[in-house]
């Protein structure tokens, strides 16, 4: 035993405990969560009429007198098990807004729907993958003496891809401030799309809500140059939302034109700073708008939902665009496992955060995400269902049903989180087994799926 690693010794200790079967049930119920929350308390369900106790649960009967529940972290680098669940919820949330379901009528599939990509503007030339990075016939050098071109063919995984051609020429201040205002820029964009739709239809802009409703779900993704760009599903409904048909003038072409025009027009101005001045922040010149058609002519609805769900679990650690944990001192930036480009952005964010005119942006708080302080996924109220509703539906599916006229008396408190080394080893195995079971089940459900037994021996 002395020669075994600590995690193995701890796992053997746990497995020999008389309460191990029940503890394993709890781990399985959390899906093998890598960092579960430990709760202590009890729940009593009473009949509201007679006062009879219908059900009583107390953690004093559990191993360690505690109940383990999921951490619900969306980041795959933090908890793979919970991130897979979150990705599944995101898929159904986005998909319901595209084709219906989850209390959304299936008629939404025939509405004007777009898949929109909005990019950040250029803050300076960066290396890019391809046969030739940045060819320049006339050669030349920047004011800092660095070549303006690059004739190397970079592979997509080349660490140089996304790095500035000249770090001294790169607009790090503009990059950080654009991130800090990206959410406001999106809000201005949505407002402007509504206004353009109203103007093109010949109605008063303030009366748009009486004629139609613009619904959306958007996700933020870091590009190779660690600048955020936005993917969004945009849908046009009638004034009452998904249950209401849009007006006759609400066509995909008109919506597409409004999106293109608004992406080129909206601007957000930064607060004046003696050190920086005022900056006019806009979207980048590259805007991609694709219509989603009910007849399948264009991107498939499930593919769009899967694409959004894929990126919702990516943390900044995984994408290389900062860190998943906040930094509290300048020294934390210097020791962060990031490349020079990202570290410079983090330092710029920290320095700008010390200026009083930028205090409302809380740049130092969001240094680990390079100043971007929006949610990874946001949606309008009427787009589709909610994460809370999906979780409630899942709880109902596994048997946690509500009893009519019942009264619930619950007392819970937080007592810890995480795993011991051995418990983490066992939980990771449970999570892998459950993931493999889901994969095999998905394959079996596909046409022609199932297990191939042709080579099995009797």
């Amino acid at each position: 035993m002395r020669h075994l690693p600590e995690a193995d010794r701890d796992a053997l200790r746990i497995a020999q405990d008389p309460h191990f079967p029940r503890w394993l049930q709890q781990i399985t119920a959390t899906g093998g969560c890598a960092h579960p929350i430990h709760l202590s308390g009890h729940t009593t369900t009473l009949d509201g009429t007679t006062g009879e106790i219908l059900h009583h649960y107390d953690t004093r009967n559990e191993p360690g007198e505690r109940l383990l529940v999921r951490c619900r972290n969306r980041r795959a680098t933090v908890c793979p098990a919970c991130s897979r669940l979150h990705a599944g919820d995101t898929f159904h949330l986005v998909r319901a807004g595209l084709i219906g379901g989850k209390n959304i009528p299936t008629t939404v599939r025939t509405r004007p729907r777009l898949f929109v990509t909005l990019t950040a503007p250029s803050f300076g030339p960066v290396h890019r993958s391809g046969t030739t990075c940045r060819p320049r016939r006339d050669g030349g050098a920047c004011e800092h003496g660095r070549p303006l071109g690059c004739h190397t063919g970079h592979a997509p995984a080349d660490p140089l891809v996304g790095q500035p051609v000249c770090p001294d020429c790169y607009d790090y201040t503009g990059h950080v401030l654009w991130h800090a205002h990206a959410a406001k820029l999106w809000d201005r964009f949505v407002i402007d799309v509504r206004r353009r739709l109203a103007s093109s239809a010949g109605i008063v802009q303030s009366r748009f809500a009486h004629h139609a409703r613009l619904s959306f779900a958007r996700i933020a993704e870091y590009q190779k140059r660690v600048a955020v760009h936005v993917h969004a599903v945009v849908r046009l409904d009638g004034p009452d939302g998904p249950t209401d048909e849009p007006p006759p003038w609400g066509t995909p072409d008109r919506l597409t034109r409004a999106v293109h025009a608004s992406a080129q027009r909206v601007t957000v101005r930064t607060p004046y700073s003696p050190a920086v001045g005022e900056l006019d922040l806009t979207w980048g010149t590259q805007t991609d708008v694709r219509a989603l058609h009910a007849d399948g002519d264009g991107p498939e609805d499930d593919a769009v939902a899967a694409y959004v769900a894929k990126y919702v679990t990516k943390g900044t650690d995984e994408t290389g665009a900062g860190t998943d944990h906040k930094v509290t001192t300048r020294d934390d930036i210097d020791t962060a496992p990031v490349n020079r480009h990202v570290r410079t952005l983090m330092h710029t964010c920290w320095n700008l955060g010390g200026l009083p005119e930028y205090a409302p942006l809380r740049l130092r708080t969001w240094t680990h995400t390079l100043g971007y302080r929006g949610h990874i996924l946001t949606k309008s109220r009427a787009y589709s269902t909610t994460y809370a509703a999906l979780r409630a539906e899942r709880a109902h599916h596994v048997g946690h049903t509500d009893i009519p006229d019942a009264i619930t008396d619950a007392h819970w408190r937080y007592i810890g989180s995480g795993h011991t080394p051995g418990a983490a080893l066992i939980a990771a195995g449970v999570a892998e087994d459950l993931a493999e079971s889901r994969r095999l089940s998905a394959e079996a459900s596909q046409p022609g799926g199932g297990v191939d037994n042709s080579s099995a021996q009797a």
Side-chain angles (χ1 to χ4, degrees):
M1 289 285 289
R2 292 196 304 271
H3 301 291
L4 291 175
E6 178 186 2
D8 292 343
R9 293 200 305 271
D10 189 41
L12 288 172
R13 176 190 62 79
I14 295 171
Q16 293 171 353
D17 190 291
H19 298 101
F20 175 71
R22 174 55 188 160
W23 178 85
L24 188 60
Q25 287 179 346
Q26 285 203 33
I27 293 296
T28 304
T30 66
C33 175
H35 198 78
I37 308 300
H38 300 195
L39 300 177
S40 175
H42 66 268
T43 298
T44 304
T45 304
L46 307 172
D47 188 301
T49 304
T50 65
E52 176 188 0
I53 297 178
L54 302 176
H55 176 73
H56 179 73
Y57 172 82
D58 199 313
T59 56
R60 285 181 293 183
N61 300 319
E62 296 286 6
E65 298 187 358
R66 61 188 61 196
L67 175 68
L68 306 183
V69 298
R70 287 180 177 269
C71 69
R72 292 183 179 176
N73 196 297
R74 69 168 181 84
R75 296 177 175 87
T77 54
V78 177
C79 182
C82 288
S83 73
R84 279 192 291 267
L85 188 66
H86 191 78
D89 286 347
T90 302
F91 173 81
H92 289 292
L93 184 150
V94 176
R95 186 174 184 268
L98 287 169
I99 66 173
K102 312 298 181 184
N103 297 322
I104 303 297
T106 57
T107 52
V108 295
R109 192 173 187 185
T110 61
R111 309 281 169 77
R113 302 170 305 149
L114 306 177
F115 185 52
V116 180
T117 298
L118 303 175
T119 61
S122 174
F123 305 107
V126 298
H127 292 280
R128 54 196 180 192
S129 60
T131 54
T132 306
C133 176
R134 285 189 171 274
R136 288 181 65 93
R137 294 181 180 178
D138 56 351
C142 70
E143 59 180 295
H144 304 100
R146 294 186 176 90
L148 293 173
C150 176
H151 296 273
T152 305
H154 300 295
D158 189 331
L160 201 58
V161 174
Q163 305 297 301
V165 174
C166 176
D168 294 321
C169 291
Y170 195 83
D171 185 9
Y172 283 101
T173 297
H175 190 147
V176 166
L177 290 177
W178 191 91
H179 271 180
H181 292 83
K184 180 180 288 187
L185 193 61
W186 170 261
D187 291 341
R188 295 272 180 90
F189 166 76
V190 173
I191 292 172
D192 197 70
V193 171
R194 294 192 185 105
R195 289 174 175 172
R196 288 185 174 276
L197 285 172
S199 297
S200 65
I203 62 176
V204 180
Q205 294 179 0
S206 61
R207 302 284 296 176
F208 176 81
H210 296 275
H211 297 267
R213 179 190 289 263
L214 194 69
S215 298
F216 66 85
R218 74 166 178 91
I219 189 169
E221 178 197 354
Y222 285 92
Q223 297 171 298
K224 282 286 189 179
R225 59 190 174 117
V226 295
V228 165
H229 66 176
V230 172
H231 301 293
V233 177
V234 179
R235 190 185 71 227
L236 188 65
D237 300 319
D240 293 331
T243 60
D244 196 6
E245 290 295 327
W249 52 259
T251 63
D253 288 342
R254 177 166 278 166
L255 181 59
T256 299
R257 289 194 298 270
V259 166
H260 273 295
S262 296
Q264 297 171 9
R265 178 181 181 275
V266 293
T267 302
V268 171
R269 177 165 291 182
T270 65
Y272 173 76
S273 168
V276 179
E278 287 183 332
L279 301 181
D280 289 332
L281 306 176
T282 63
W283 295 109
T285 57
Q286 295 180 338
T287 301
D288 185 43
V289 182
R290 304 184 187 183
L292 302 174
H293 301 292
D295 58 7
D297 182 16
E300 295 183 358
D301 297 323
D302 283 1
V304 170
Y307 186 87
V308 173
K310 170 186 175 182
Y311 282 101
V312 80
T313 64
K314 289 182 179 288
T316 48
D317 273 348
E318 187 177 358
T319 58
T323 67
D324 285 335
H325 305 285
K326 293 183 177 181
V327 297
T328 55
T329 67
R330 190 183 297 273
D331 291 340
D332 292 341
I333 301 175
D334 295 328
T335 58
V338 297
N339 59 43
R340 177 184 173 183
H341 179 48
V342 174
R343 198 182 315 279
T344 305
L345 283 166
M346 294 175 74
H347 274 297
T348 303
C349 198
W350 186 270
N351 294 336
L352 292 174
L355 301 178
E357 55 269 26
Y358 294 139
L361 301 178
R362 302 174 61 204
L363 290 173
R364 289 190 172 180
T365 301
W366 297 102
T367 294
H368 64 298
T369 58
L370 315 183
Y372 180 73
R373 56 200 183 103
H375 292 288
I376 193 70
L377 175 74
T378 57
K379 74 175 190 69
S380 59
R381 185 183 299 273
Y383 174 77
S384 71
T385 185
T386 63
Y387 283 120
L390 291 171
R391 290 167 184 155
E393 184 178 341
R394 183 164 54 249
H396 178 81
H397 177 73
V398 298
H400 300 292
T401 56
D402 294 329
I403 303 174
D405 301 324
I407 299 174
T408 300
D409 178 39
H411 297 275
W412 295 95
R413 63 187 181 92
Y414 168 84
I415 59 174
S417 61
H419 283 306
T420 63
L425 194 64
I426 296 172
V430 169
E432 290 176 4
D433 289 344
L434 292 174
E436 181 66 10
S437 295
R438 283 192 292 269
R439 185 186 69 81
L440 293 175
S441 177
E443 288 182 356
S445 65
Q446 296 297 322
V451 179
D452 183 7
N453 295 318
S454 58
S455 61
Q457 299 295 322

